[in-house]
Amino acid sequence: MQLTTLLPLALASYAATQTQGLTQVLASQNSTLSMLNSLLATQPALTKALASAQNITLLAPSNDAFSKFISNPANKAIASDSAALMGLLEYHVLTSTVPASSFTTTMQFIPTMLMSSSSNSTVNINTTLSNVTGGQVVGGVKSGSKVEVMSGLKEISTVQTADIQFSGGVMHLIDTVLTLPIAPSMSVVDSSLTALAGALKNTNLLTAVNSLKDVTIFAPSNAAFQAIGSAATTLTEQQLAGILEYHVINGTVGYSSLLTTGLANESFPTLAGGEVKIENVDGKVFVNSAQVTITDILVSNGVMHVINNVLNPSNTTATPIPTATTQPIAFTGVSSASNVPFTSGISATTTAPSAAMETAGSAKAAAGRVEGNIGAVGVAALLGVVAAFLIW
Ligand SMILES: *[C@@H]1O[C@H](CO)[C@@H](O)[C@H](O)[C@H]1NC(C)=O
Ligand SMILES: *[C@@H]1O[C@H](CO)[C@@H](O)[C@H](O)[C@H]1NC(C)=O
Ligand SMILES: *[C@@H]1O[C@H](CO)[C@@H](O)[C@H](O)[C@H]1NC(C)=O
Ligand SMILES: *[C@@H]1O[C@H](CO)[C@@H](O)[C@H](O)[C@H]1NC(C)=O
Ligand SMILES: *[C@@H]1O[C@H](CO)[C@@H](O)[C@H](O)[C@H]1NC(C)=O
Ligand SMILES: *[C@@H]1O[C@H](CO)[C@@H](O)[C@H](O)[C@H]1NC(C)=O
Ligand SMILES: *[C@@H]1O[C@H](CO)[C@@H](O)[C@H](O)[C@H]1NC(C)=O
Ligand SMILES: *[C@@H]1O[C@H](CO)[C@@H](O)[C@H](O)[C@H]1NC(C)=O
């Protein structure tokens, strides 16, 4: 064949790539994305919607990402549950076009296609996959030269190939499947916040908190509960419930980006009735006098931040001391206990966000963690897909 006949063909195919639809682009990347393509093929309604969607971003997990994902037994429920799989795939679609150049060193929270109404999953028991107005979000951040996406339980996915254009938007290949945000009751256990988990259980508040919409939960660390450990035996169930409800803002999802800007220095009503005040001082975020030490554990119905003191709804004078490394406890007449209270019968289910080791805003701290906690999505079908893939 002669060069003269090849050249126009090459040019024609180059021109075509400029306007290719998502279907064509996914097919052209099939050597890297065959598992994603197989999974999309099981969801024809979603695939059809994506093919004609405008201004979207597809976070496309590579075959390696899916292999890693399904190698974890905890993820096995996902593929057997069509609705959960659909939810997982929808979570990988941002509802705006977000090129790599628009990621910044401050984490931004970007809505996805995962909406409360869009899934009938039975796998993520006790909750829908998302009860967040405007869609469940991912965190997008630039970390050095890397573009990273944070999902549930502070999972970090790194963009490997950015800005693959298609007519409806842009696609980024990622190295790790996103983790679906799960219910608060499950997230606290998965985040080793066992005292809070036990306290919520003892006061029968798990279902109430799980079924709210658009929440911000301030989650005291185990050390925070231990510091007021003597109260564990003196508080009535009703008093403890009142204290816990004071940690939940109902109706506002306060991601870290908002705590340091639009929501800073404002007061918010809690489930308990009283208000908590958020303050942003000297680069630290406080709620009343407790400091936020781990930000942005995305949960099915909002966001959770770990704090280093238990909040006291009866203490109207608790104010932060920004220069102090630790804050005084907000209760009088209580002392610390030798054991973490409320943890009887509660055990952390995974190694997920190790509360003790991460610091506020440090998405990087969670990087590299092999996560197995899609407590949400199921697996038999996915295993079927994978088995077929491996045979190839
Ligand atoms: C992608 O590759 C797999 C085998 O690896 C094949 O079964 C499938 O048909 C291919 N899909 C497309 C869209 O080319
Ligand atoms: C896509 O975004 C562009 C630029 O923001 C806007 O002009 C256009 O109307 C959007 N299209 C759709 C279908 O939303
Ligand atoms: C979910 O279930 C409801 C009622 O059974 C049904 O009307 C709806 O179409 C389902 N939604 C999806 C996305 O399957
Ligand atoms: C889910 O709800 C059931 C009862 O409906 C309860 O037994 C179980 O503990 C709940 N699980 C979680 C993780 O909240
Ligand atoms: C979502 O939140 C609303 C408002 O609190 C609640 O009525 C609804 O039951 C929640 N959905 C689920 C599935 O928990
Ligand atoms: C939470 O807020 C919603 C919307 O404002 C309200 O309808 C609901 O009653 C509140 N729930 C509780 C338990 O206060
Ligand atoms: C919040 O108040 C502190 C002083 O208490 C101030 O330094 C900071 O700039 C304020 N932040 C916002 C966003 O208003
Ligand atoms: C309120 O909290 C502060 C710590 O911020 C503490 O010093 C004070 O003793 C507390 N007051 C009461 C009445 O519990």
Side-chain angles (χ1 to χ4, degrees):
M1 205 179 283
Q2 297 186 358
L3 189 60
T4 46
T5 57
L6 270 175
L7 202 53
L9 269 177
L11 284 173
S13 100
Y14 175 77
T17 63
Q18 302 307 292
T19 53
Q20 273 185 337
L22 180 59
T23 312
Q24 289 74 31
V25 170
L26 281 170
S28 73
Q29 301 278 330
N30 195 43
S31 59
T32 316
L33 299 179
S34 60
M35 290 178 76
L36 175 62
N37 285 335
S38 309
L39 292 171
L40 284 169
T42 68
Q43 306 292 326
L46 175 63
T47 306
K48 191 171 171 223
L50 290 180
S52 61
Q54 288 299 311
N55 291 352
I56 62 169
T57 302
L58 177 63
L59 301 172
S62 66
N63 287 343
D64 285 350
F66 275 115
S67 297
K68 190 167 61 168
F69 179 77
I70 53 89
S71 72
N72 191 320
N75 290 328
K76 291 191 178 179
I78 292 187
S80 61
D81 180 329
S82 180
L85 178 58
M86 169 120 152
L88 181 69
L89 293 170
E90 287 171 338
Y91 190 44
H92 285 76
V93 183
L94 314 183
T95 50
S96 55
T97 303
V98 187
S101 60
S102 66
F103 286 69
T104 65
T105 53
T106 300
M107 186 172 280
Q108 301 167 76
F109 295 84
I110 310 164
T112 72
M113 261 184 83
L114 180 59
M115 309 276 175
S116 56
S117 57
S118 58
S119 175
N120 285 341
S121 171
T122 55
V123 175
N124 190 14
I125 46 166
N126 307 342
T127 181
T128 49
L129 289 175
S130 167
N131 212 352
V132 178
T133 299
Q136 184 55 271
V137 302
V138 294
V141 70
K142 193 152 189 284
S143 172
S145 59
K146 289 182 186 166
V147 171
E148 295 179 339
V149 178
M150 186 195 74
S151 53
L153 295 170
K154 291 179 82 79
E155 180 67 272
I156 296 292
S157 303
T158 300
V159 171
Q160 292 177 303
T161 306
D163 298 328
I164 299 169
Q165 307 289 329
F166 59 92
S167 54
V170 69
M171 177 163 81
H172 305 305
L173 303 193
I174 54 173
D175 69 344
T176 303
V177 175
L178 302 180
T179 293
L180 280 170
I182 54 178
S185 64
M186 297 153 92
S187 297
V188 289
V189 173
D190 242 324
S191 305
S192 301
L193 298 164
T194 46
L196 176 58
L200 288 168
K201 183 161 173 270
N202 292 355
T203 50
N204 294 310
L205 283 172
L206 287 172
T207 306
V209 173
N210 283 352
S211 57
L212 292 169
K213 185 185 179 100
D214 295 337
V215 293
T216 303
I217 300 168
F218 294 104
S221 64
N222 279 4
F225 277 106
Q226 194 171 356
I228 62 156
S230 72
T233 50
T234 58
L235 292 171
T236 65
E237 185 183 316
Q238 198 179 3
Q239 287 169 328
L240 179 59
I243 290 170
L244 296 174
E245 286 169 346
Y246 189 58
H247 289 72
V248 181
I249 298 174
N250 173 29
T252 302
V253 189
Y255 302 113
S256 60
S257 56
L258 290 169
L259 295 184
T260 54
T261 56
L263 303 185
N265 305 345
E266 301 279 341
S267 293
F268 294 88
T270 66
L271 274 192
E275 295 191 334
V276 288
K277 179 160 194 218
I278 293 168
E279 282 193 76
N280 176 29
V281 197
D282 298 344
K284 298 174 181 174
V285 173
F286 296 91
V287 49
N288 292 355
S289 65
Q291 189 180 346
V292 172
T293 53
I294 300 176
T295 56
D296 300 317
I297 300 173
L298 301 175
V299 295
S300 57
N301 54 354
V303 69
M304 185 162 80
H305 306 293
V306 178
I307 54 175
N308 65 0
N309 260 329
V310 179
L311 306 176
N312 181 357
S314 306
N315 188 337
T316 52
T317 60
T319 45
I321 306 169
T323 50
T325 48
T326 59
Q327 302 294 316
I329 61 172
F331 294 79
T332 47
V334 301
S335 55
S336 65
S338 50
N339 295 313
V340 179
F342 308 124
T343 54
S344 170
I346 309 281
S347 52
T349 52
T350 70
T351 58
S354 116
M357 288 161 60
E358 291 178 44
T359 55
S362 173
K364 273 182 288 185
R369 182 166 48 79
V370 177
E371 198 51 77
N373 34 37
I374 281 280
V377 199
V379 183
L382 187 52
L383 278 181
V385 170
V386 170
F389 175 75
L390 292 178
I391 289 162
W392 287 100

